[in-house]
């Protein structure tokens, strides 16, 4: 099985995209961080994660 990754247009690699998210995340307020983490936790493991803009297609 292979996968096709679609990067955000402003990034050229996975590391660059992750670094940008981490930099943004560190500037968020404590409440925004908490809300974001609680939203991720409430999704669970079996639901698709729809917060990010990167797409992964399995073939």
């Amino acid at each position: 099985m292979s996968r096709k990754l679609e990067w955000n247009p402003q990034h050229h690699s996975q590391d660059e995209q992750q670094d940008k998210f981490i930099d943004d995340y560190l500037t968020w307020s404590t409440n925004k961080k908490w809300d974001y983490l609680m939203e991720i936790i409430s999704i669970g493991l079996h639901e698709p994660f729809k917060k990010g803009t990167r797409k992964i297609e399995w073939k």
Side-chain angles (χ1 to χ4, degrees):
M1 185 178 279
S2 65
R3 65 183 177 169
K4 175 186 170 193
L5 298 178
E6 182 180 300
W7 302 109
N8 295 335
Q10 67 271 25
H11 302 117
H12 295 93
S13 71
Q14 176 182 355
D15 292 334
E16 190 177 323
Q17 183 171 312
Q18 182 176 348
D19 290 346
K20 173 68 172 129
F21 173 78
I22 291 170
D23 290 345
D24 290 346
Y25 180 83
L26 292 174
T27 65
W28 293 355
S29 70
T30 305
N31 288 340
K32 185 174 179 178
K33 288 177 188 174
W34 180 259
D35 291 342
Y36 178 79
L37 294 173
M38 291 301 106
E39 184 176 350
I40 291 172
I41 290 169
S42 70
I43 292 171
L45 296 175
H46 303 292
E47 296 292 323
F49 184 66
K50 297 178 182 174
K51 292 279 298 174
T53 56
R54 185 175 67 170
K55 298 175 188 161
I56 301 175
E57 297 175 14
W58 292 95
K59 296 181 179 188

